[in-house]
Amino acid sequence: MHEAPSGPLPYYEDMGPGTGALPPRAWTGVSDARRVNLGGAWRFRLSATADGSDESFARPGFDASRWDVLPVPSHWPLQGHGQDHDYGRPAYTDVRYPFPIDPPRVPTENPTGDHLRGFDLPGDWPGGAAVLRFDGVDSCARVWLNGEELGTFKGSRLPVEFEVGEVLRPRGNVLAVRVHQWSSGSYLEDQDMWWLPGIFRDVTLIERPEGAVTDFFVHCDYDHLTGNGSLRVDCDPQGTVTVPELGLDIATGETAVVPVEPWSAEVPRLYDAELATEGERVPLRIGFRTVRVEDGVLKVNGRRVLFRGVNRHEFDPDHGRAVDLETMRRDLLLMKRHNVNAVRTSHYPPHPAFLDLCDELGMWVVDECDLETHGFSEVDWRRNPVDDERWTPALLDRAARMVERDKNHPAVVMWSLGNECGTGRGLSAMADWIRRRDPARPIHYEGDQSCADVDVYSRMYANHEESETIGRRAEPPLLDAESDRRRRAMPFILCEYAHAMGNGPGGLSEYQRIFETYERCQGGFVWEWIDHGLRRRTADGGAYFAYGGDFGEELHDGNFVCDGLVFPDRTPSPGLVEYKKVVQPVGFAADLARGLLNVTNRHDFADVSGLAFHWAYEVEGELAAEGRLEVPALAPGASAEVALPRAPRTAVDGEACWTVRAVLAEDTAWAPSGHEVAWAQFEVGRPAVPAGPLPGAPHAPRRVEGGLIMLGPGMFDAADGTLRYLDGAVVDGPRLDVWRAPIDNDRGADWYPEGQLERRWREAGLDRMRHRIDEVAPGQDALTVTTRVAPAASDLGLRTVYRWTAAGDRLALDIEVTPEGPWTLPLPRLGIRLGLCPTLDTVEWYGGGPGEAYPDTREASRLGRHRSTVDGLQTPYVRPQENGARADVRWAELRRADGSGLRVTGAPPFWFTARPWSTEELAAAEHTNELKRGDLIWVHLDHGLHGVGSGACGPEALPEFRLAAAPAAFSFTFGTLRAGHPAGPRPPF
């Protein structure tokens, strides 16, 4: 039992949504009503408790000149750190509340920020009614203007307005706001993100002239059968709506039906309009579209849609959730340029300007309510607010503030009740209210598997096998037959999948195959868009990104807050590049024997007339010919066969490759002409890498002074057979290597012990393998070294035989690996590693690139000749981990500034990694600034790598991408490059 408080609860602890606010209404970014932006420099005082300071600061004449100055919008913990004052620290938890679970009570230790802002009205301010609008305050606020209390509110990511006309003065207005970090509202806002209090969105004073728009609702449907759009704008008070391009001038409440071009995320057709009442003119941008679930499929404008989506938190590495308009636009441009077409606003409505941009640029939006009670799962969902009728008014308030604010955006195609709240009557009440208010949009919620309140069946992290079963509508039945029938008839969406934490996510193309095969499976939303790393600097000015635990939190969830497709500074990760390729909206298939290319338009609405198609023919990575392909303006879903040109005759007889590309033919609102939308490659012949003996007369191994064996350009340790020098240059290794610096997906999830590969690998000793030398045997034309590589306390082992041969100035290595013992675990990697001179800083290779790839993340790896520095090969994951592998490498060169260096050729093609620190140093680092260049460049030449999966929260690597301990044979050839030797094509060796 929980003892009830002896008296009434303070406003920040009561279960209600607040007091004094006006009813929620549609957001308008602009109108002819005057506005005053109250952002900027505010006076600020921080108290440790909710009642740590009295309320005298809100009274007229209070002297706050000795207070600190704080920018608004902002979060105060991000302003104070590292300065003369201390405003507390950010804190990160995923599920757990960072305070005792005793709803609606919160701790006495409750950081409370008092904010003061003085302002004068513009000289032409007419007086009369006005509203004061807050777009986002975390988590509870009490507001005074000129000493008069306006009210209180909760709902951090939702707007609130107060009537202030009678309180305003021409000059000397003082706005006072007390903000509490913790409140009863905090129990409803347990989203996976940093806990960051403050006034973090705009504060605006808006004139409300007599007859101004109180609220309005734009209803604009599209009939795909007739091509007509219907428009009706409900408005209080009555007014008129004009749409000049459509010749419309109608009264509000009146319906007009006219031929229109529909809006979609692919063709975001908007019509400029104006809503006019007696006191205000509001510009509108109208998009005609209809959203329905029909025959078990979610359709827009009569067509099935496929979501190529992301979950987007609002985040900036310096400002937290205080995100400016340019950053919002940058997010959307990056999404569009990487073929993302949908956003789930996890897990709260975004800044309203973001939705304007979605309308303009084209993006499907699942608008999610500011609601999550995930921390109650820690106590078996006892006292969960969504199943306690005393909290229902607060839940309905949050639903209304979302729907009313965002109801006029064509981009919003679904309402989401919230995230990870369990089940309860409060959710049903929200769904009922939303359905009455806006029956034109489906309702989403993932947390109730019965789907009692929703129109789509949504899941998180269902693996490929389960997703395919659901696609066939063959999932296990629910106990209630009627619920089962209803759910089975619903479209299926993965509201979270492909957890993008660290190196990954893997398995994207296999998910996409399911989405494209089964009509019911309508795509999903990768978790998530951005790593929430907060930028910090070391004493010497170096920058890195901090995560949970870096601010002294007593409870935290580490770097689980860094699980995005872009890094905190919005640099695309390899995961985003892979996603772009996997979801590209144009498909290619080739029949090279017939010289035909099949082109498929995978758009849902757009034809391909806006794209230009190009081909290139390369031999050994060198361009031999290129040109343009003529492709008809394929309708959505349509395909056509196009003739490829005749392959050009070339002087080089080697491996060839066709590359076909679809690029923007003209500039668009989101990318310039020439931007690549889709591509594919088709290889002709086999990799031109010979296997077998080196050409020329072989060298014989011979013993020399210093306990060494000489074999061609190589000098080996006679005791253990290790290569020590290559053409006079020091070499460390090579030797068999099976370990990688664990990635986040190797660590796995707490709730899935079998997926915790790192733990299992370490228990098996794969991070501490020992190398026993069984024989070093110089022969007539080869040096053979037999070893056993094995961990302590185990009978598992890898019998490894190195056979070295040499001819001319080249040294060849053939490796045979035979597992011994009952291996059941996959290997992290299988290959060799060697340490080389640190001045070998420039890399060129022929193989996959330009970016990293792993067995289940190689769709975006493009065969060709690529160049980089060693530093440029590294992927700066916020928590350092295995990274930087290049796939399908035929040969690689590492060079010094003078052109000298080393060339490696492999058979079969290999995985190539080079880094300025060892695997052990990489694994030990917790942040990127801890990685320091060492005395060697460490090069990994791998025969096989284990896939990456998305096991940090989703499924582990699929079986076909797991690296089994099995017999293996692979070869490498080493040769030195002389100073001044030009880079460029050379015959392989």
Side-chain angles (χ1 to χ4, degrees):
M1 295 292 292
H2 294 262
E3 186 175 342
S6 57
L9 292 172
Y11 65 90
Y12 54 84
E13 287 188 322
D14 68 41
M15 298 178 192
T19 58
L22 293 168
R25 66 187 182 109
W27 185 75
T28 57
V30 294
S31 77
D32 65 351
R34 292 168 179 80
R35 295 167 184 251
V36 178
N37 180 356
L38 296 179
W42 289 50
R43 290 290 178 176
F44 178 74
R45 173 183 65 185
L46 182 65
S47 301
T49 65
D51 55 0
S53 301
D54 62 31
E55 300 163 12
S56 61
F57 81 101
R59 299 173 191 160
F62 181 85
D63 182 8
S65 59
R66 295 188 179 183
W67 286 19
D68 296 329
V69 176
L70 187 83
V72 170
S74 73
H75 299 281
W76 71 67
L78 299 184
Q79 297 299 316
H81 184 65
Q83 302 178 22
D84 294 336
H85 36 251
D86 186 353
Y87 296 155
R89 298 289 187 272
Y92 167 63
T93 60
D94 169 24
V95 175
R96 298 172 294 178
Y97 290 105
F99 48 79
I101 300 177
D102 185 21
R105 310 299 304 281
V106 295
T108 299
E109 299 87 358
N110 187 358
T112 295
D114 291 333
H115 302 67
L116 279 176
R117 170 69 152 88
F119 65 95
D120 299 329
L121 295 177
D124 60 350
W125 190 269
V131 298
L132 177 67
R133 181 181 181 89
F134 294 87
D135 279 303
V137 181
D138 191 330
S139 76
C140 173
R142 187 178 180 186
V143 186
W144 298 263
L145 180 60
N146 295 330
E148 183 169 326
E149 181 171 349
L150 302 180
T152 64
F153 64 94
K154 307 171 192 123
S156 299
R157 269 67 64 177
L158 294 161
V160 67
E161 290 182 335
F162 297 101
E163 169 58 50
V164 296
E166 295 183 357
V167 188
L168 285 171
R169 305 168 182 168
R171 301 183 62 80
N173 293 283
V174 177
L175 175 59
V177 185
R178 172 163 284 178
V179 179
H180 306 286
Q181 174 159 16
W182 308 124
S183 70
S184 58
S186 302
Y187 286 101
L188 305 180
E189 296 173 5
D190 189 30
Q191 292 96 334
D192 176 8
M193 59 186 182
W194 293 98
W195 296 93
L196 288 171
I199 304 173
F200 68 96
R201 287 184 185 162
D202 307 307
V203 182
T204 313
L205 180 69
I206 308 172
E207 175 204 7
R208 298 283 79 205
E210 185 71 26
V213 174
T214 300
D215 192 18
F216 66 100
F217 197 163
V218 178
H219 305 271
C220 36
D221 296 332
Y222 177 72
D223 186 333
H224 65 281
L225 298 177
T226 65
N228 287 333
S230 65
L231 173 64
R232 185 184 85 247
V233 178
D234 297 330
C235 183
D236 178 18
Q238 293 291 310
T240 60
V241 178
T242 56
V243 190
E245 191 174 355
L246 296 176
L248 291 180
D249 186 350
I250 59 175
T252 57
E254 180 183 346
T255 299
V257 178
V258 291
V260 298
E261 299 173 46
W263 185 96
S264 71
E266 295 169 3
V267 186
R269 180 66 161 94
L270 293 172
Y271 291 89
D272 290 328
E274 184 180 76
L275 169 64
T277 63
E278 182 181 347
E280 187 175 16
R281 292 181 177 272
V282 179
L284 306 178
R285 304 194 78 186
I286 292 174
F288 292 88
R289 60 106 187 92
T290 300
V291 188
R292 290 195 180 95
V293 175
E294 295 178 334
D295 302 321
V297 177
L298 179 68
K299 297 180 180 179
V300 178
N301 300 336
R303 295 188 63 89
R304 172 187 183 261
V305 295
L306 182 58
F307 292 125
R308 303 169 170 91
V310 295
N311 284 275
R312 176 186 177 267
H313 269 289
E314 291 183 311
F315 184 75
D316 177 273
D318 300 305
H319 307 294
R321 286 184 289 281
V323 177
D324 61 23
L325 183 63
E326 182 53 39
T327 301
M328 300 178 212
R329 181 177 288 275
R330 185 179 175 190
D331 273 346
L332 279 168
L333 293 182
L334 274 172
M335 290 176 192
K336 295 286 289 187
R337 291 171 184 175
H338 287 85
N339 294 329
V340 172
N341 72 357
V343 169
R344 176 180 176 227
T345 68
S346 53
H347 298 294
Y348 43 83
H351 190 290
F354 179 79
L355 297 179
D356 280 346
L357 292 172
C358 291
D359 293 341
E360 172 192 331
L361 297 173
M363 191 68 60
W364 308 120
V365 175
V366 177
D367 200 356
E368 193 149 87
C369 196
D370 190 7
L371 176 61
E372 180 167 337
T373 66
H374 202 175
F376 283 89
S377 65
E378 299 288 298
V379 294
D380 262 350
W381 296 104
R382 292 188 299 274
R383 305 173 73 197
N384 184 7
V386 303
D387 201 27
D388 183 338
E389 62 184 12
R390 294 173 298 172
W391 291 85
T392 299
L395 303 182
L396 291 173
D397 171 76
R398 288 171 182 250
R401 286 157 70 187
M402 172 183 69
V403 171
E404 300 295 5
R405 190 195 77 168
D406 298 342
K407 58 183 179 275
N408 296 320
H409 289 283
V412 176
V413 292
M414 273 195 283
W415 301 116
S416 180
L417 302 179
N419 185 67
E420 293 175 321
C421 295
T423 59
R425 294 163 289 176
L427 292 169
S428 299
M430 293 170 68
D432 289 345
W433 184 90
I434 293 173
R435 200 165 269 117
R436 290 193 302 271
R437 179 59 175 147
D438 181 25
R441 290 180 175 96
I443 293 177
H444 167 275
Y445 177 66
E446 178 273 339
D448 182 1
Q449 293 304 296
S450 75
C451 297
D453 299 312
V454 299
D455 302 294
V456 297
Y457 178 24
S458 177
R459 287 288 304 281
M460 292 182 182
Y461 307 110
N463 63 27
H464 301 78
E465 181 181 8
E466 183 180 7
S467 297
E468 190 157 16
T469 300
I470 294 171
R472 298 196 305 267
R473 302 188 191 270
E475 65 267 28
L478 296 171
L479 292 177
D480 180 74
E482 177 57 28
S483 296
D484 182 69
R485 182 200 62 76
R486 186 171 177 273
R487 191 184 76 174
R488 205 174 294 273
M490 289 180 176
F492 175 65
I493 292 170
L494 279 166
C495 68
E496 293 179 21
Y497 83 114
H499 192 259
M501 186 175 180
N503 189 337
L508 286 171
S509 57
E510 289 71 29
Y511 271 119
Q512 196 67 18
R513 180 191 62 79
I514 294 169
F515 301 156
E516 292 173 357
T517 300
Y518 299 99
E519 185 181 53
R520 183 189 193 188
C521 295
Q522 297 193 239
F525 299 82
V526 171
W527 185 266
E528 64 167 303
W529 174 242
I530 189 168
D531 287 342
H532 302 204
L534 291 169
R535 197 190 319 267
R536 297 188 77 182
R537 296 195 177 274
T538 58
D540 61 1
Y544 68 98
F545 295 111
Y547 48 76
D550 288 338
F551 298 94
E553 306 101 303
E554 61 183 15
L555 283 180
H556 67 85
D557 288 297
N559 69 314
F560 204 69
V561 76
C562 295
D563 46 13
L565 291 171
V566 298
F567 297 127
D569 62 0
R570 285 177 164 76
T571 300
S573 76
L576 181 58
V577 177
E578 177 80 355
Y579 193 45
K580 174 185 178 179
K581 178 66 172 70
V582 167
V583 302
Q584 65 184 25
V586 179
F588 302 98
D591 183 344
L592 296 182
R594 298 170 58 212
L596 295 176
L597 176 72
N598 185 278
V599 182
T600 300
N601 180 9
R602 292 179 179 156
H603 288 98
D604 295 325
F605 296 91
D607 63 27
V608 297
S609 60
L611 300 177
F613 292 82
H614 300 271
W615 64 268
Y617 188 80
E618 295 173 311
V619 179
E620 298 296 328
E622 291 293 316
L623 181 65
E626 61 183 337
R628 181 157 178 169
L629 283 170
E630 294 302 323
V631 176
L634 298 170
S639 298
E641 283 190 338
V642 179
L644 286 169
R646 185 182 297 275
R649 295 173 180 249
T650 63
V652 179
D653 181 18
E655 180 186 20
C657 179
W658 290 96
T659 301
V660 292
R661 304 166 61 238
V663 304
L664 291 180
E666 298 179 349
D667 292 349
T668 68
W670 48 272
S673 64
H675 166 78
E676 186 176 84
V677 173
W679 65 273
Q681 285 188 318
F682 306 99
E683 296 176 25
V684 181
R686 295 181 177 180
V689 179
L694 291 173
H699 294 284
R702 58 190 178 90
R703 294 183 183 272
V704 297
E705 293 182 358
L708 298 173
I709 296 174
M710 176 180 287
L711 178 62
M715 298 285 282
F716 296 81
D717 189 311
D720 61 16
T722 302
L723 179 65
R724 297 302 184 193
Y725 302 92
L726 180 62
D727 205 12
V730 175
V731 177
D732 187 326
R735 67 177 186 172
L736 192 76
D737 188 23
V738 300
W739 184 242
R740 72 184 184 192
I743 65 173
D744 291 311
N745 291 322
D746 294 338
R747 291 182 167 187
D750 291 342
W751 55 88
Y752 182 37
E754 284 302 306
Q756 295 171 8
L757 271 178
E758 180 189 7
R759 175 185 58 80
R760 295 162 62 206
W761 281 340
R762 290 188 184 276
E763 288 174 353
L766 300 191
D767 60 329
R768 47 182 171 82
M769 302 291 275
R770 296 292 179 258
H771 297 251
R772 186 184 73 208
I773 309 302
D774 287 341
E775 185 180 27
V776 178
Q780 184 175 354
D781 59 359
L783 172 65
T784 303
V785 181
T786 303
T787 70
R788 187 174 190 270
V789 183
S794 171
D795 63 351
L796 299 176
L798 298 169
R799 177 72 60 180
T800 307
V801 178
Y802 306 87
R803 185 176 185 274
W804 293 94
T805 57
D809 60 353
R810 305 171 194 169
L811 186 65
L813 171 61
D814 296 310
I815 304 166
E816 291 186 359
V817 180
T818 305
E820 297 179 342
W823 284 91
T824 56
L825 270 178
L827 295 173
R829 70 181 341 129
L830 181 66
I832 58 173
R833 78 166 177 175
L834 60 158
L836 301 174
C837 173
T839 58
L840 294 168
D841 195 47
T842 301
V843 185
E844 182 174 1
W845 72 99
Y846 172 43
E852 78 176 25
Y854 287 81
D856 50 352
T857 61
R858 62 194 300 173
E859 289 293 313
S861 181
R862 195 177 315 216
L863 179 64
R865 288 173 64 102
H866 308 282
R867 292 176 63 90
S868 175
T869 62
V870 170
D871 285 346
L873 294 175
Q874 314 311 306
T875 302
Y877 294 113
V878 172
R879 185 188 73 81
Q881 56 198 274
E882 170 66 38
N883 72 89
R886 267 57 181 182
D888 304 312
V889 174
R890 280 69 162 156
W891 55 258
E893 296 178 349
L894 294 98
R895 292 176 175 270
R896 300 177 182 86
D898 64 3
S900 65
L902 172 72
R903 192 168 200 254
V904 183
T905 305
F910 57 98
W911 301 88
F912 172 78
T913 310
R915 55 175 65 109
W917 35 73
S918 69
T919 296
E920 292 74 19
E921 291 167 326
L922 184 62
E926 295 293 332
H927 301 87
T928 53
N929 64 297
E930 298 166 26
L931 291 169
K932 308 297 183 184
R933 295 183 69 92
D935 297 332
L936 294 171
I937 295 292
W938 288 99
V939 175
H940 295 259
L941 309 173
D942 288 308
H943 176 64
L945 295 175
H946 187 73
V948 296
S950 60
C953 191
E956 58 182 318
L958 287 165
E960 57 264 38
F961 303 121
R962 298 171 192 169
L963 181 60
F970 47 100
S971 303
F972 300 102
T973 301
F974 303 91
T976 53
L977 303 170
R978 305 302 176 193
H981 196 298
R986 285 173 301 285
F989 60 76

